């Protein structure tokens, strides 16, 4: 780089990229070797090697940090063509490691990469006024210090395992020579990164140990064989590849650095990102860069609340809805109805990944609008969006796992939108073979129920994966009578066989009832709310289908343990006055059902059979004494249901009763005195 040999620089960087293309943890083998060595030292010697925390891993870290600094300086010198793309790819590999992010989060570095990504036209000011010759001389000095420091560390370790260490050091040093020639050092260009003075190598070592190591991640499926092959793009294709690589660098840096997130906001890069997305959406065939534009927008809106607000205020919902419509390539039949049929092709892999990113961004922007009353314009926009979300639910993707992921993000977004705008899901006319209830098309609801069943069957990450669909179905059932009728027919069919507990079995109802006693409060409340709404929020019917033991949690939360009144409904609920008709099988065994377990129990012998009245009274007194003893020792807390249907300590209820009696007595005394005066 110092000599301006661009061909040589490109060759070395390509070798680096090829070697570390799949690397997400640079020093895994070295860490394992060091851990093994330290364990051996602990077993066989009384060594102080635990105090030596700065070893070869830190030397490699310094090389990578310096390589990042030099690359950023090198790219600001006005590189063109293929060398820029190769340098950006190297920078992307380096940005996977959190410990190397220091030189990448300065204003100059972010603006440099953002300009290459097309997010800004501002020129990055070079923070370092050091001339190129002095800059590279400083690098050489820094690397020399690193090597001297490492040699001292190796000598100390050599006292423990001299023979093994003597074999490993030369090979590592040979690798380091080539790294030094291409990689570089860098405290140096970045005065803003390390401060106004040039820190020592030891200071850099100590500072780096407080960083959390980057764990190995899942490879992006979008990376194909072209990742390992040499690039041959020229012209516009080469520019597209350059922007894509720059976007990847920004995604890594923003994801791994809070400082970069703040800088992204202060440098107003969101405006450029919105403009890029609007431009790519208007194109007939979106470029491969659009996915990474969407990924970067998702990350920044997920991590920075003020940027979510900015995107919403600048028409982000409208822009993203247009992008979604473009990805789905829909044909409109009516205002809120898209053409869907058996011959509709599946969503391609590339399109499905872009759609998923759009749905995630829309959720970030709209999640707070669920309980808000939208304006007329917003309501029309949301209904247009819901019509597109219906397509996301009904269409398949090329891969089945993509279909499930797409439906999951669609459910998340539907649960975030205003409830009154979801009626678009039901306004589609009936077609031959459509699911229907009272003349209303239930194809979309049927898909949601099937999606819920798959999530319940998997049992994996139940809170993250099942609660959104449970909440969506609960709100939909409360607001739409036909939806509730249809879902109740599938989840809560009329009771016939009550020989098993309600939670036993593999039906959807059994799985939901099991979740009502889940350890996670959110999960059990979501499952209980859905069944409660399907029972029209009728306490007796709820207990009938679930058993009092399973229902007690929700009833206690809502103050319904006393079962007061036939029903306590939500103000948003649309429930008819029809009664729940029992089947003939249920009526025959109704009197023998245990209301706590919800099933027919075998007849048990009477434990007081053969006892006299005096013996029964004595047994009752003994039980009362035992309860008092447990209560006095704070082993149990006797509870009762108060007038509002909530559980309260028995002692607290007594105190309240005594207080009420005193108040009523004082009122009576006052009224008596007034009558006597009169």
């Amino acid at each position: 780089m110092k000599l301006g040999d661009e061909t040589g620089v490109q060759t070395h960087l390509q070798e680096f990229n090829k070697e570390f293309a799949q690397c997400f943890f640079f020093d895994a083998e070295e860490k394992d070797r060091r851990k093994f060595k330290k364990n051996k030292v602990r077993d066989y010697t009384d060594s102080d090697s635990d105090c030596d925390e700065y070893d070869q891993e830190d030397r490699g870290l310094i090389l990578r940090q310096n390589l990042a600094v030099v690359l950023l300086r090198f790219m600001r010198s006005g590189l063109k063509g293929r060398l820029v793309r190769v340098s950006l790819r190297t920078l992307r590999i380096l940005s996977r490691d959190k410990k190397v992010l220091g030189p990448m989060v300065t204003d100059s570095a972010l603006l440099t990469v953002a300009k290459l990504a097309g997010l800004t036209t501002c020129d990055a000011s070079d923070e370092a006024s050091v001339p190129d010759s002095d800059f590279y001389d400083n690098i050489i000095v820094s690397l020399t210090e690193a090597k001297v420091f490492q040699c001292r560390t190796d000598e100390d370790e050599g006292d423990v395992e001299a023979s093994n260490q003597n074999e490993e050091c030369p090979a590592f040093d040979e690798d380091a020579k080539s790294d030094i020639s291409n990689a570089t050092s860098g405290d140096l260009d970045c005065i803003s990164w390390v401060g106004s003075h040039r820190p020592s190598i030891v200071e850099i070592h100590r500072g780096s140990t407080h960083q959390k190591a980057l764990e190995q991640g899942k490879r992006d499926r979008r990376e194909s064989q072209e990742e390992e092959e040499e690039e041959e793009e020229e012209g516009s294709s080469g520019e597209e590849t350059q922007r894509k690589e720059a976007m990847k660098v920004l995604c890594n840096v923003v994801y791994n650095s809070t400082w970069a997130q703040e800088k992204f906001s202060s440098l107003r890069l969101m405006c450029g990102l919105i403009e890029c997305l609007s431009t790519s959406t208007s194109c007939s065939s979106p470029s491969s860069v659009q996915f990474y534009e969407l990924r970067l927008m998702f990350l920044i809106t997920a991590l920075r609340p003020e940027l979510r607000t900015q995107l919403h205020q600048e028409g982000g919902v409208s822009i993203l809805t247009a992008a979604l419509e473009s990805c789905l390539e829909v044909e409109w039949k009516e205002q809120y109805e898209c053409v869907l049929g058996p011959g509709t092709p599946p969503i391609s892999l590339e399109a499905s990944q872009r759609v998923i990113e759009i749905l995630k961004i829309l959720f970030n922007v709209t999640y707070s609008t669920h309980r808000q009353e939208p304006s007329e314009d917003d309501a029309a926009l949301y209904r247009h969006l819901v019509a597109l979300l219906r397509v996301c639910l009904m269409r398949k993707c090329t891969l089945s796992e993509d279909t499930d992921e797409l439906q999951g993000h669609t459910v998340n977004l539907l649960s975030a939108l205003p409830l009154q705008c979801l009626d678009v899901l039901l306004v589609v006319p009936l077609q031959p073979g459509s699911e229907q209830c009272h003349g209303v098309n239930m194809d979309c609801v049927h898909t949601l129920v099937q999606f819920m069943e798959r999530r319940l069957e998997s049992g994996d990450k139940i809170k993250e994966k099942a609660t959104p669909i449970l909440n969506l179905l609960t709100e939909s059932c409360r607001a739409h009578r036909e939806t509730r009728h249809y879902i109740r027919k599938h989840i809560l069919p009329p009771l016939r066989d009550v020989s098993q507990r309600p939670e036993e079995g593999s039906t959807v109802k059994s799985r939901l009832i099991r979740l009502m006693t889940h350890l996670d409060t959110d999960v059990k409340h979501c499952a209980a709310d859905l069944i409660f709404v399907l029972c029209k929020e009728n306490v007796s019917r709820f207990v009938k289908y679930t058993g009092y033991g399973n229902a007690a949690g929700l009833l206690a939360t809502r103050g319904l343990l006393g079962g007061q009144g036939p029903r306590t409904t939500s103000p948003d609920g649309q429930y008819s006055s029809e009664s729940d008709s029992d089947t003939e099988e249920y009526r025959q065994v109704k009197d023998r059902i245990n209301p706590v377990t919800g099933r027919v129990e075998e007849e048990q012998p009477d434990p007081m059979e053969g006892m006299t009245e005096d013996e029964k009274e004595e047994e009752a007194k003994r039980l009362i004494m035992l309860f008092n003893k447990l209560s006095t020792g704070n082993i149990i807390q006797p509870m009762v249901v108060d007038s509002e249907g909530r559980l309260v300590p028995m002692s607290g209820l007594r105190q309240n009763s005594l207080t009420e009696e005193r108040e009523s007595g004082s009122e009576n005394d006052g009224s008596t005195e007034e009558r006597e005066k009169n």
Side-chain angles (χ1 to χ4, degrees):
M1 290 182 183
K2 182 177 181 180
L3 299 176
D5 182 9
E6 294 187 358
T7 303
V9 172
Q10 181 173 313
T11 301
H12 286 302
L13 291 182
Q14 286 175 330
E15 292 175 358
F16 178 89
N17 296 344
K18 184 177 181 179
E19 179 180 358
F20 296 104
Q22 303 297 320
C23 186
F24 286 85
F25 195 98
F26 284 88
D27 300 295
E29 295 181 1
E30 182 64 23
K31 281 172 64 81
D32 293 340
R33 186 189 66 81
R34 186 176 72 256
K35 186 185 300 184
F36 173 74
K37 181 186 297 184
K38 287 185 177 181
N39 289 338
K40 286 184 64 177
V41 169
R42 290 191 187 99
D43 292 340
Y44 296 103
T45 65
D46 295 330
S47 173
D48 295 331
S49 63
D50 290 347
C51 299
D52 182 18
E53 299 178 357
Y54 316 114
D55 50 16
Q56 293 182 5
E57 177 184 359
D58 298 287
R59 178 171 175 269
L61 171 63
I62 292 176
L63 292 176
R64 296 194 298 274
Q65 288 174 332
N66 293 335
L67 176 57
V69 173
V70 172
L71 278 177
L72 290 166
R73 171 80 172 236
F74 196 50
M75 287 189 293
R76 284 198 295 270
S77 64
L79 299 181
K80 300 291 183 182
R82 191 174 176 183
L83 182 56
V84 181
R85 301 192 290 273
V86 174
S87 301
L88 284 171
R89 183 166 295 179
T90 304
L91 203 61
R92 171 167 62 86
I93 294 173
L94 294 172
S95 65
R96 298 169 182 169
D97 191 346
K98 290 184 179 181
K99 298 180 181 179
V100 185
L101 294 181
M104 302 186 197
V105 297
T106 64
D107 290 359
S108 178
L110 290 174
L111 287 174
T112 298
V113 180
K115 185 176 182 180
L116 294 173
L119 301 186
T120 182
T121 57
C122 297
D123 291 326
S125 60
D126 196 351
E127 292 132 333
S129 57
V130 183
D132 284 348
S133 58
D134 295 340
F135 170 75
Y136 289 109
D137 289 341
N138 288 339
I139 291 172
I140 296 172
V141 172
S142 178
L143 289 174
T144 303
E145 290 181 3
K147 189 168 183 178
V148 170
F149 182 86
Q150 184 60 40
C151 290
R152 292 175 181 173
T153 303
D154 293 345
E155 290 175 0
D156 294 338
E157 291 181 354
D159 295 338
V160 180
E161 291 189 25
S163 59
N164 291 340
Q165 189 66 14
N166 289 334
E167 294 176 2
E168 293 171 357
C169 277
F172 199 93
D173 286 344
E174 289 301 320
D175 292 339
K177 290 178 182 178
S178 61
D179 286 341
I180 290 171
S181 63
N182 345 318
T184 70
S185 148
D187 8 9
L188 313 354
D189 168 30
C190 298
I191 298 178
S192 61
W193 168 41
V194 295
S196 57
H197 69 288
R198 185 169 170 276
S200 68
I201 296 299
V202 177
E203 289 175 336
I204 296 178
H205 276 251
R206 297 188 182 276
S208 65
T209 58
H210 299 290
Q211 301 278 354
K212 180 181 178 182
L214 182 63
E215 298 177 356
Q216 184 173 0
K218 183 176 71 172
R219 178 172 169 78
D220 194 335
R221 289 184 304 167
R222 297 180 61 88
E223 303 295 341
S224 59
Q225 292 182 351
E226 62 181 287
E227 183 75 12
E228 291 84 19
E229 296 175 354
E230 295 295 327
E231 297 180 69
E232 299 294 341
E233 301 90 340
E234 298 293 340
S236 60
S237 178
E239 182 181 355
E240 181 178 315
T241 304
Q242 171 185 310
R243 291 189 58 223
K244 183 166 60 175
E245 288 295 335
M247 284 289 182
K248 292 178 182 179
V249 175
L250 289 175
C251 287
N252 287 349
V253 173
V254 167
Y255 177 72
N256 287 318
S257 171
T258 305
W259 182 260
Q261 297 159 22
E262 296 175 356
K263 289 292 184 180
F264 198 94
S265 177
S266 62
L267 295 175
R268 299 187 59 79
L269 297 180
M270 176 59 86
C271 298
L273 186 57
I274 295 173
E275 184 178 351
C276 286
L277 184 58
S278 301
T279 304
S280 62
T281 300
S282 61
C283 297
S284 56
S285 57
S287 66
S288 60
V289 186
Q290 188 185 58
F291 172 81
Y292 296 100
E293 293 172 350
L294 294 168
R295 173 62 61 85
L296 180 59
M297 185 172 286
F298 162 69
L299 290 173
I300 207 65
T301 53
L303 298 169
R304 301 299 299 181
E306 73 276 8
L307 294 179
R308 287 198 294 268
T309 304
Q310 178 185 345
L311 179 59
H312 193 280
Q313 292 174 347
E314 296 187 10
V317 177
S318 178
I319 295 172
L320 292 166
T321 301
L324 179 61
E325 184 174 348
S326 174
C327 291
L328 295 174
E329 299 179 344
V330 297
E331 296 180 13
W332 292 96
K333 193 174 182 180
E334 298 291 342
Q335 182 182 9
Y336 297 128
E337 180 185 357
C338 300
V339 176
L340 281 173
T344 305
I347 304 174
S348 66
L349 175 61
E350 295 291 326
S352 65
Q353 291 182 332
R354 292 200 303 271
V355 168
I356 287 171
E357 295 301 319
I358 293 172
L359 297 180
K360 293 181 337 189
I361 301 168
L362 282 169
F363 176 82
N364 290 343
V365 176
T366 63
Y367 77 96
S368 60
T369 64
H370 178 61
R371 293 296 182 182
Q372 298 176 2
E373 187 70 26
S375 64
E376 185 176 347
D377 292 340
D378 287 343
L381 176 59
Y382 290 144
R383 282 191 167 89
H384 184 77
L385 174 58
V386 171
L388 294 173
L389 295 181
R390 187 178 188 276
V391 178
C392 295
L393 284 175
M394 303 303 296
R395 283 183 64 179
K396 304 294 184 182
C397 297
T398 305
L399 302 177
S400 58
E401 57 266 28
D402 287 344
T403 301
D404 188 74
E405 185 179 3
L406 176 59
Q407 290 181 346
H409 290 296
T410 303
V411 167
N412 292 342
L413 182 53
L414 284 171
S415 64
L417 296 176
L419 189 61
Q420 60 267 40
C421 298
L422 302 188
D423 56 355
V424 175
L425 299 175
L426 308 178
V427 299
V428 180
L430 288 172
Q431 302 292 335
S434 295
E435 297 285 335
Q436 64 94 21
C437 180
H438 302 306
V440 179
N441 191 312
M442 288 286 140
D443 288 339
C444 194
V445 176
H446 180 70
T447 302
L448 291 173
V449 172
Q450 288 182 322
F451 176 78
M452 179 192 67
E453 292 178 5
R454 292 197 303 272
R455 288 295 169 97
L456 294 178
E457 288 174 2
S458 68
D460 180 41
K461 297 181 180 178
I462 198 71
K463 181 174 182 178
E464 293 81 2
K465 294 186 175 182
T467 51
I469 182 62
L470 293 177
N471 283 330
L472 177 61
L473 292 180
T474 301
E475 295 298 327
S476 300
C477 289
R478 183 177 282 122
H480 300 107
R481 185 177 303 166
E482 293 80 11
T483 301
R484 179 176 55 80
H485 287 176
Y486 182 83
I487 295 179
R488 183 186 172 193
K489 181 177 68 175
H490 285 75
I491 296 180
L492 291 182
L495 288 175
R496 299 183 185 278
D497 182 12
V498 287
S499 60
Q500 285 186 323
R501 291 175 179 265
E503 66 270 21
E504 295 177 349
S506 58
T507 63
V508 181
K509 183 190 80 170
S510 301
R511 288 192 173 97
L512 286 173
I513 294 176
R514 284 198 292 271
L515 291 181
M516 290 170 58
T517 54
H518 197 275
L519 292 176
D520 190 280
T521 304
D522 293 335
V523 172
K524 69 179 183 180
H525 284 173
C526 288
D529 284 343
L530 176 57
I531 296 182
F532 192 52
V533 170
L534 292 177
C535 294
K536 300 182 183 180
E537 303 189 36
N538 184 300
V539 174
S540 60
R541 190 177 303 169
F542 183 57
V543 173
K544 166 187 169 182
Y545 279 96
T546 65
Y548 193 83
N550 294 315
L554 180 136
L555 298 180
T557 302
R558 299 199 177 195
L560 301 174
L561 281 174
Q564 298 87 345
R567 181 167 63 234
T568 303
T569 61
S570 167
D572 298 329
Q574 295 186 10
Y575 305 126
S576 61
S577 59
E578 63 185 24
S579 60
D580 186 32
S581 58
D582 296 332
T583 62
E584 184 63 28
E585 297 89 337
Y586 180 80
R587 282 197 293 267
Q588 291 176 359
V589 297
K590 183 176 181 180
D591 296 336
R592 293 163 43 201
I593 295 177
N594 185 335
V596 176
T597 61
R599 72 169 180 178
V600 176
E601 303 282 357
E602 297 181 1
E603 294 186 5
Q604 301 292 331
D606 185 1
M608 292 190 176
E609 184 178 359
M611 296 175 64
T612 64
E613 293 299 323
D614 292 339
E615 290 174 337
K616 292 179 182 179
E617 184 178 354
E618 186 64 28
E619 181 67 16
K621 290 179 179 180
R622 188 179 71 84
L623 289 174
I624 291 174
M625 291 177 61
L626 289 175
F627 276 113
N628 286 336
K629 184 177 180 180
L630 292 173
S631 177
T632 304
N634 292 326
I635 298 175
I636 64 172
Q637 174 68 66
M639 308 289 287
V640 293
V641 180
D642 64 6
S643 58
E644 297 181 356
R646 299 184 182 277
L647 285 174
V648 295
M650 186 178 292
S651 58
L653 185 64
R654 289 176 179 172
Q655 293 175 359
N656 292 337
S657 300
L658 292 174
T659 303
E660 291 176 358
E661 290 177 1
R662 295 192 192 99
E663 291 177 353
S664 60
S666 61
E667 291 177 359
N668 293 335
D669 294 341
S671 60
T672 302
E673 292 177 359
E674 290 180 359
R675 286 197 299 270
E676 290 177 354
K677 291 179 180 179
N678 295 334

